């Protein structure tokens, strides 16, 4: 019995909880989703002591030093931190070159025109109200306050009374953390099982190249660069360091949270220094001070998210160049002093990457945290240990051991890069191209329909110019006018079917009228003529509602509001980043299909701007270098960029202009207009317009959602198959 008890004490329950959680998720799948609240509860339980711990450890740790010690420690710790940043950033940028060749193209997102949040360093780092900073979870401001308070106590003759009390409080907080850690394998099991059981294959497929990239980078930093630097320059052995970091690493991996393991990191460092007989009061205080400081400043774990920025730029066809790397690095170091969720939109904006890419990061943040958080834990361990031994002048460079680890980590870099490149190159070849996605989209709910490529002679007499809903029902046919190749509103897919946002609504309108539908083509300049002569009953094709056409046709209530933009070759997008750049561009040649009044007005005001009306958007892409850019809606522009990935979309800053689109009917057909307006109100309230917008404009649901595989489902399927 005693042997069993001893074995249970020695077993690493954190590791077993992690492994059992993964197995449980794979076996039971979505059935273990109910465990998620249990795991979140344990995370909150771990957070109970963290903020008080930061206050106590920093104030006590700094307060016990003398002024000369503090100056020396902070200077040497800063040197170590900057050195780790430089080495880590070099590795991060090296991995950015492992991205394979790619044809870009993506759906539109409203976030495209959202302004990137300002990086407010003042509110992040100046604690106007320390108690508010603690309540709001503003760690940087709280750390600054604690550092200031700790430094102010150094020369205070009566500080010992306060420090003794705080030290007792710190011991109590440490004891609470240790008690919670003993129970925490339950939380790790719950979180790991729910994540492994509920993450969808669609989420993995969407960003599989990024996941491979950040995983290879993370593993290199965690198991090669950082621990081998410690092993090369300090008395700490590589294997011992891995064992010391193990529990904190597993917890951070399971929870995606570094904050809750800060006490574990501090105690782990102190315990290991004592084990190798390198511990004293000074080293313990240095650990207590530097752990929260290391968490506050940008870590190599946080900086691995730079991989997402380079991935997003690559995905949209504008990869980060060598010339851009210094500026991106500087911007990253400044913005990461704030918050990852502020830094990433800021960096995306600085690279002119569509801001909607940030939504991709959020959707995968649960997975990427499994790399970022453990990397941060190992960075903090490495930084603090290197700083302690540097401060105590115990850094060494033993020839054989140091040379071995430095050579090994140098050799492992190209090995991990090769692994990343090979895996991503394979994945890129098997990934469905953007143009295939949009070319294979279909209208889900259709009525019997006929798509014509001309106006029938029977319609050209003008006898059908006056019509109403009753007539449409009697003839059992709704005649809809459409613009050819007006992606994503009306276009032909790979199967030759007429599809698009407006086409799906036309089928819905016909279904509600309980009639068939017939589609008749027209060009934008023919809209008023064809409607008023009765060639079709209604035009539905992403039509701009403008004042010029109001005198000739009647428009329905707005269906959508679109964002005006420019589409141009990728390498020229930077020339149209702002309104001033567009207006000052020499001999600017702009094409357009719609917006005739706006373009004519622009040409009158600015003589150097030449505008040309085209019959279709496709004519622009076939025009080679005749035009510098084309004025188009951002929604349509992104859809076209999926067919032509060498083109990109830009909304010039200072020229954010939106306009409504709707359906058009002949001036005399008020009955149809009244019905359509009421019908649109119903569709908006029932969510049909939003559903169509999500599918055709945002691209949501373009990939079939697959049921999450689990072993128990597989066995159940085989059992039922055998019964048959």
């Amino acid at each position: 019995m005693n042997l069993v008890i001893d074995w249970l004490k020695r077993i690493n329950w954190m590791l077993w909880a992690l492994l059992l959680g993964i197995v449980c998720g794979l076996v039971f799948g979505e059935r273990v989703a109910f465990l998620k609240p249990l795991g979140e509860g344990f995370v909150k339980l771990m957070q109970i002591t963290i903020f008080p711990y930061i206050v106590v450890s920093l104030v006590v740790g700094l307060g016990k030093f003398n002024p000369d010690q503090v100056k020396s420690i902070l200077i040497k710790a800063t040197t170590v931190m900057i050195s780790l940043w430089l080495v880590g950033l070099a590795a991060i940028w090296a991995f950015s070159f492992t991205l394979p060749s790619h044809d870009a193209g993506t759906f539109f997102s409203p976030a495209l025109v959202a302004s990137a949040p300002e990086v407010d360093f003042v509110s992040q780092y100046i604690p106007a109200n320390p108690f508010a900073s603690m309540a709001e979870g503003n760690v940087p401001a709280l750390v600054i306050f604690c550092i200031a308070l700790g430094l102010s106590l150094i020369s205070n003759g009566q500080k010992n009374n306060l420090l003794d009390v705080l030290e007792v409080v710190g011991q109590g907080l440490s004891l609470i953390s240790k008690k919670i850690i003993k129970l925490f394998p339950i939380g790790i099991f719950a979180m790991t099982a729910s994540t492994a059981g509920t993450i969808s294959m669609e989420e993995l497929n969407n960003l599989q190249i990024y996941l491979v990239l950040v995983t290879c980078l993370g593993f290199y930093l965690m198991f090669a660069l950082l621990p081998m630097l410690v092993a090369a320059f300090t008395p700490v052995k590589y294997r011992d360091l891995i064992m010391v970091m193990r529990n904190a690493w597993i917890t951070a991996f399971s929870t995606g949270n570094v904050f809750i393991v800060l006490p574990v990191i501090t105690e782990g460092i102190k315990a290991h220094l004592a084990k190798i007989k390198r511990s004293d009061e000074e080293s313990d205080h240095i650990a207590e001070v530097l752990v929260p400081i290391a968490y506050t400043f940008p870590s190599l774990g946080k900086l691995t998210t730079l991989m997402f920025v380079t991935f997003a730029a690559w995905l949209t066809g504008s990869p980060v160049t060598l010339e851009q790397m210094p500026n991106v690095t500087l911007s990253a170091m400044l913005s990461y002093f704030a918050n990852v969720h502020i830094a990433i939109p800021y960096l995306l904006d600085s690279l002119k990457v569509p801001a909607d890419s940030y939504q991709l990061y959020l959707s995968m943040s649960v997975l990427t945290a499994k790399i970022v958080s453990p990397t941060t834990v190992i960075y903090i361990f490495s930084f603090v240990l290197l700083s302690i031994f540097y401060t105590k002048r115990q850094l060494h460079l033993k020839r054989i051991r140091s040379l071995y680890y430095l050579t090994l980590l140098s050799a492992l870099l190209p090995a991990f890069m090769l692994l990343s490149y090979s895996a991503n190159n394979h994945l890129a070849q098997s990934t469905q191209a953007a143009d295939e996605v949009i070319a294979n989209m279909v209208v889900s709910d259709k009525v019997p329909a006929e798509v014509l490529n001309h106006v029938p002679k029977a319609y050209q007499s003008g006898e059908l110019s006056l019509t109403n809903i009753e007539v449409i029902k009697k003839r059992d046919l709704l005649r809809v006018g459409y613009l050819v190749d007006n992606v994503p509103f009306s276009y032909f897919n790979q199967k030759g079917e007429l599809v698009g946002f407006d086409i799906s609504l036309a089928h819905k309108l016909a279904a509600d009228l309980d009639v068939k539908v017939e589609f008749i083509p027209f060009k934008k300049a023919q809209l008023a003529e064809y409607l008023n002569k009765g060639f079709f009953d209604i035009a539905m094709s992403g039509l701009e509602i403008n004042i010029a056409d109001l005198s000739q046709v009647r428009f329905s209530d707005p269906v959508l509001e679109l964002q005006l933009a420019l589409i141009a070759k990728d390498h020229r997008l930077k020339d149209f980043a702002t309104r001033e750049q567009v207006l000052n561009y020499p001999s600017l040649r702009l094409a357009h299909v719609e917006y005739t009044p706006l373009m004519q007005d622009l040409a009158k005001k600015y003589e150097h701007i030449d505008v040309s009306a085209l019959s279709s958007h496709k004519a622009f892409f076939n025009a080679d270098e005749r035009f510098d850019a084309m004025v188009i809606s951002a929604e349509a522009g992104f859809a076209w960029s999926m067919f032509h990935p060498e083109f990109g979309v830009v909304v010039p800053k200072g020229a954010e202009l939106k306009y409504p689109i709707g359906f058009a009917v002949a001036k005399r057909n008020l009955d149809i207009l009244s019905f359509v307006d009421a019908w649109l109100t119903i569709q908006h309230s029932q969510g049909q317009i939003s559903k169509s917008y999500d599918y055709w404009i945002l691209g949501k649901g373009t990939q079939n959602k697959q049921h999450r595989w689990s072993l128990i489902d597989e066995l159940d399927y085989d059992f039922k198959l055998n019964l048959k």
Side-chain angles (χ1 to χ4, degrees), residues 571-607:
H571 67 275
R572 305 187 68 176
L573 293 179
K574 61 182 182 296
D575 297 330
F576 308 117
T578 65
R579 179 178 181 273
E580 289 71 25
Q581 284 178 279
V582 173
L583 296 180
N584 295 327
Y585 194 93
S587 303
L588 180 60
R589 300 164 298 169
L590 291 178
H592 68 97
V593 176
E594 300 185 86
Y595 328 114
T596 300
L598 174 66
M599 301 305 294
Q600 289 176 345
D601 184 57
L602 185 69
K604 287 179 183 178
K605 288 183 179 179
Y606 303 93
E607 294 181 357

Side-chain angles (χ1 to χ4, degrees), residues 18 28 36 70 117 130 179 200 228 254 269 282 378 413 415 431 448 467 499 568 647 700:
L18 176 68
F28 295 101
K36 185 178 180 181
V70 171
K179 296 292 185 184
S200 68
M228 287 183 182
S254 303
I269 291 172
E282 182 186 16
I378 293 181
L413 177 60
T431 301
T467 188
V499 297
F647 285 85
K700 295 180 180 179

Side-chain angles (χ1 to χ4, degrees), residues 426-632:
H426 173 72
L427 291 172
Q429 291 174 2
S430 61
T431 301
Q432 189 178 27
D435 61 335
E436 291 181 15
V437 175
I438 193 169
N440 284 295
M441 294 173 73
V442 296
V443 176
S444 57
D445 300 316
K446 296 193 290 186
V447 298
E450 185 176 1
V451 179
L452 305 179
N453 58 12
H454 63 282
V455 179
K457 289 186 178 180
Y459 296 168
Q460 297 178 15
S461 63
E463 294 177 2
L464 302 175
S465 60
L466 182 61
T467 188
N468 55 42
I469 296 299
E470 185 178 350
V471 171
I472 291 171
K473 287 186 174 182
K474 281 183 179 179
R475 74 162 106 98
D476 190 29
L477 184 67
L478 174 67
R479 300 172 306 140
V480 177
Y482 72 94
L483 291 171
V484 179
D485 292 327
N486 190 25
V487 184
F489 304 102
S490 55
Y491 66 99
F492 289 93
N493 66 12
Q494 211 163 40
K495 297 178 181 178
E497 301 169 334
L498 183 62
V499 297
F501 174 82
D502 284 84
I503 303 305
S504 68
L505 292 180
H507 278 278
K508 176 63 176 169
L509 177 59
D512 290 341
L513 288 169
D514 195 23
V515 298
K516 301 172 185 175
V517 64
E518 185 177 72
F519 293 100
I520 301 165
F522 71 96
K523 294 182 179 179
K524 185 61 175 66
Q526 300 167 327
L527 174 64
E529 177 191 356
Y530 278 28
L531 274 174
N532 291 317
K533 286 185 177 180
F535 291 1
F536 40 79
D537 305 315
I538 184 171
M540 303 172 70
S541 200
L543 299 173
E544 174 198 9
I545 301 176
N546 61 68
I547 296 175
D549 287 334
L550 282 176
S551 60
Q552 304 176 68
V553 299
R554 294 193 184 275
F555 286 102
S556 68
D557 292 338
V559 179
L560 292 178
E561 195 174 60
L562 303 184
Q563 172 71 57
L564 203 63
L566 293 174
I567 186 168
K569 288 287 183 70
D570 287 330
H571 67 275
R572 305 187 68 176
L573 293 179
K574 61 182 182 296
D575 297 330
F576 308 117
T578 65
R579 179 178 181 273
E580 289 71 25
Q581 284 178 279
V582 173
L583 296 180
N584 295 327
Y585 194 93
S587 303
L588 180 60
R589 300 164 298 169
L590 291 178
H592 68 97
V593 176
E594 300 185 86
Y595 328 114
T596 300
L598 174 66
M599 301 305 294
Q600 289 176 345
D601 184 57
L602 185 69
K604 287 179 183 178
K605 288 183 179 179
Y606 303 93
E607 294 181 357
H608 66 285
I609 298 179
D610 178 54
V611 299
S612 301
L614 303 179
S615 59
S616 69
H617 294 110
K618 188 174 283 188
F620 169 75
F621 298 101
N622 295 333
D624 200 20
E625 297 293 330
R626 276 187 55 203
F627 305 105
D628 298 306
M630 178 170 65
V631 180
I632 193 172

Side-chain angles (χ1 to χ4, degrees), residues 245-297:
M245 297 186 296
R246 183 178 54 190
N247 283 348
W249 186 92
I250 292 171
T251 304
F253 175 83
S254 303
T255 63
N257 192 326
V258 179
F259 189 54
I260 64 175
V261 298
L262 294 183
V264 181
I265 295 173
T266 304
E267 295 302 320
I269 291 172
K270 290 159 67 174
H272 186 67
L273 290 177
K275 182 180 177 181
I276 62 174
K277 298 180 181 180
R278 300 277 182 164
S279 176
D280 55 32
E281 190 176 358
E282 182 186 16
S283 63
D284 288 351
H285 290 326
I286 293 174
E288 290 169 354
V289 169
L290 292 186
V291 167
I293 289 177
Y295 175 77
T296 303
F297 286 82

Side-chain angles (χ1 to χ4, degrees), residues 398-415:
K398 293 181 179 178
R399 289 184 180 179
I400 298 177
R401 178 176 165 181
S402 299
L403 183 63
Y404 169 75
Y405 281 115
L406 292 175
T407 303
L408 186 59
L409 69 88
S410 300
L412 285 173
L413 177 60

